[in-house]
């Protein structure tokens, strides 16, 4: 099996939820579901750490504004994880150099991360939390389904990942104005808090 479509799909999924990708691939490899998963992803310590971090993301990703902070922190983590996972997959196959695999996985993860982070900024302009929960749950299920599907039908999964990435970029372009309003409003709130703090009298003054 050509590893290129699996590398691309894992890169897209890592940009959405890198910990879920590592956890799923590791479990599929450890349980013998797939022999495409390198042994380094099947290690018990890797699975435990990925599982704990996945649970943290599962919660943080569904809380308004907390999800945007979490995304900001993971601007480096997700592309790096996508590159590492892709390089490991490519290194064990012999059909794609590790460096090229890492570049494909990392760049794809970066694009899908930017789509996710930008979409969440737009979603956070809505005051209710249910849209965050719905979007986050859809992302989690989509990542799990596509990663599992990619192990058995890699080219179809890669096509779906490419379509989702393109759709996300187009959607993000439409949401750009809403995101800019969100950033302006957040900056205004920070400025108002700063001014309120500077105007407060000193205790006992």
């Amino acid at each position: 099996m050509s590893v290129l479509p699996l590398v691309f799909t894992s890169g897209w999924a890592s940009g959405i939820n890198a910990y879920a990708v590592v956890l799923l691939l590791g479990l599929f490899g450890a349980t013998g579901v797939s022999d495409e998963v390198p042994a380094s992803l099947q290690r018990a310590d890797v699975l435990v750490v990925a599982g704990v971090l996945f649970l943290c993301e599962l919660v943080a990703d569904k809380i308004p504004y907390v999800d945007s902070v979490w995304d900001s922190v993971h601007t480096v983590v997700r592309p790096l994880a996508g590159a590492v996972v892709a390089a490991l997959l490519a290194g064990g196959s012999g059909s794609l150099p590790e460096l090229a695999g890492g570049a494909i996985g990392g760049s794809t993860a970066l694009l899908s991360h930017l789509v996710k982070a930008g979409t969440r900024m737009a979603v956070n302009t809505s005051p209710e939390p249910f849209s965050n929960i719905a979007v986050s749950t859809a992302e989690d299920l989509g990542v799990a389904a596509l990663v599992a599907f990619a192990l058995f039908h890699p080219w179809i999964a890669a096509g779906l990942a490419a379509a989702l990435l393109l759709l996300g970029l187009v959607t993000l372009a439409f949401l750009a104005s809403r995101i800019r309003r969100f950033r302006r409003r957040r900056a205004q709130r920070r400025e108002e808090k700063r001014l309120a703090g500077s105007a407060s009298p000193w205790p006992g003054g």
Side-chain angles (χ1 to χ4, degrees):
M1 181 186 77
S2 173
V3 76
L4 178 60
L6 182 57
V7 163
F8 181 84
T9 303
S10 68
W12 171 85
S14 294
I16 306 297
N17 192 327
Y19 306 125
V21 173
V22 174
L23 182 61
L24 285 170
L25 287 177
L27 289 174
F28 286 143
T31 55
V33 174
S34 173
D35 56 3
E36 299 292 332
V37 181
S40 54
L41 292 178
Q42 303 177 36
R43 290 170 40 182
D45 56 340
V46 172
L47 292 176
V48 169
V49 171
V52 170
L53 291 173
F54 169 71
L55 291 176
C56 292
E57 174 143 344
L58 196 67
V59 176
D61 204 43
K62 293 173 176 60
I63 303 174
Y65 299 106
V66 173
D67 59 349
S68 290
V69 174
W70 185 267
D71 286 339
S72 298
V73 173
H74 285 75
T75 299
V76 175
V77 175
R78 287 171 184 155
L80 182 60
V84 170
V85 169
L88 290 173
L89 291 170
S93 70
S95 60
L96 187 70
E98 290 182 49
L99 186 60
I104 293 171
S107 57
T108 306
L110 177 59
L111 285 175
S112 62
H113 164 75
L114 293 175
V115 169
K116 172 188 172 77
T119 303
R120 286 310 184 83
M121 286 184 181
V123 171
N124 280 335
T125 61
S126 174
E128 42 77 29
F130 304 108
S131 53
N132 293 76
I133 296 173
V135 171
S136 178
T137 301
E139 290 171 349
D140 293 339
L141 294 175
V143 165
L146 206 55
V147 169
F149 191 65
L151 292 174
F152 305 100
H153 304 283
W155 285 105
I156 299 176
L160 291 173
L164 289 171
L165 181 59
L166 180 60
L167 179 62
L169 291 171
V170 171
T171 302
L172 188 60
F174 279 111
L175 293 174
S177 60
R178 190 172 183 179
I179 294 170
R180 284 194 294 269
R181 288 197 300 270
F182 167 75
R183 285 178 171 172
R184 283 197 300 267
R185 201 157 50 232
R186 189 168 60 177
Q188 183 179 4
R189 280 198 298 268
R190 284 200 299 263
E191 181 65 15
E192 289 172 350
K193 288 181 180 179
R194 187 187 69 81
L195 292 174
S198 62
S200 297
W202 290 99

